Amino acid sequence: MQASEQIWMDGKFVPWGEANVHILTHSLHYGLAAFEGIRCYKGKQGSAIFRLQEHVDRLFESAHIAMMAIPYDKKQVTEAIIETVRVNKLDSCYIRPLVYIGYGMMGVHPGDNPIRLAIAAWRWGAYLGEEALTHGMRACVSSFTRHHVNVSMTRGKISGYYVNSILAKREAKANGYDEAILLDPDGYVAEGTGENVFIVRRGRLITTPLTSILEGITRSSLMQLARERNLQVVEERFTRDAMYVAEEAFVTGTAAEVTPIREIDGRRIGTGKPGPITTSLQQAFFAIVRGEDSAHSNWLTPV
């Protein structure tokens, strides 16, 4: 990680190396915290944050699901995110707001411990690597199952849920793959460790329905771009072997952006290279976030 200069913590900026919490911070022990991943891109007209309002909305939704009342309103949080990028003089970056339960009561019930908010931003390149963005990544179906909707409320982007992702990711990397794809409790494809999954099958763009997955903001953006290009977009359950016989496959996410999949479980996907639909949507996405296509300028918040 490339350290920046300042982190916003509870209404004020503190030096990066001094942005600390007490070792008995409740969220550190029990995992109940809500967070977002947001990207700022350097574009033709200057730097801009991608779909900032949607990310702020989802942060508040996640906190609400977790019964954490954020002590700031959406306008204040939005302004704090923009200011964090400005203060650190970042023309492109990844932004991480984190709502967490602070120090006080110990035990499963946090009592009236304070709800705290921190916002960090730092330079971060391609999450799965430039090679994966260009040529596609290798994935495997994980031995770990994704969350059941009544075990983990999957509309919330909750820190503790990502233990499942960490275990799946470690397993995949240990076995020589770039990423893991998890199945839902019924055995259908759910999502990656931090990404939504798409396949192209017989000309249709198919993605998993909002049953046991996080409602991805990049996911919804790609679906809109696909429909604008007269592609048939379908939300339906599909099996792991449906991925094996797909013509194309890719994942989306704030960190992963639009990353093609060239292989799953040792099986080549399509030609083993990014397909025409994946490539077209990837190019359309990057043209928008870099300010080269003004069709969705409302998705960008200037810094």
Side-chain angles (χ1 to χ4, degrees), residues 227-245:
R227 290 186 176 113
E228 290 170 359
R229 284 154 180 77
N230 297 316
L231 291 170
Q232 184 181 1
V233 181
V234 180
E235 295 177 83
E236 66 181 25
R237 282 177 148 187
F238 55 87
T239 56
R240 62 191 296 176
D241 53 357
M243 295 190 297
Y244 301 157
V245 297

Side-chain angles (χ1 to χ4, degrees), residues 19 41 44 52 55 68 87 130 136 152 165 185 197 202 206 209 215 225 229 251 264 277 299:
Y41 290 90
K44 294 183 69 175
L52 176 56
H55 281 287
M68 296 187 296
V87 163
E130 292 293 342
S152 302
S165 293
V197 179
R202 294 174 180 162
I206 309 170
E215 190 172 4
L225 293 177
R229 284 154 180 77
V251 297
I264 301 174
I277 291 176
W299 287 357

Side-chain angles (χ1 to χ4, degrees), residues 148-224:
H148 184 283
V149 293
N150 227 19
V151 174
S152 302
M153 291 174 285
T154 55
R155 286 296 179 278
K157 194 171 175 69
I158 307 297
S159 296
Y161 296 175
Y162 281 76
V163 171
N164 181 245
S165 293
I166 294 167
L167 294 173
K169 184 78 168 186
R170 281 184 161 178
E171 176 188 58
K173 297 291 281 186
N175 290 327
Y177 293 94
D178 302 307
E179 185 56 288
I181 296 172
L182 296 99
L183 307 181
D184 69 18
D186 293 324
Y188 293 90
V189 173
E191 57 189 346
T193 62
E195 310 92 4
N196 294 122
V197 179
F198 288 80
I199 63 172
V200 176
R201 176 73 169 150
R202 294 174 180 162
R204 299 192 308 160
L205 182 63
I206 309 170
T207 190
T208 53
L210 296 175
T211 50
S212 60
I213 67 169
L214 184 70
E215 190 172 4
I217 292 167
T218 308
R219 171 186 181 272
S220 66
S221 302
L222 263 290
M223 291 170 70
Q224 183 171 342

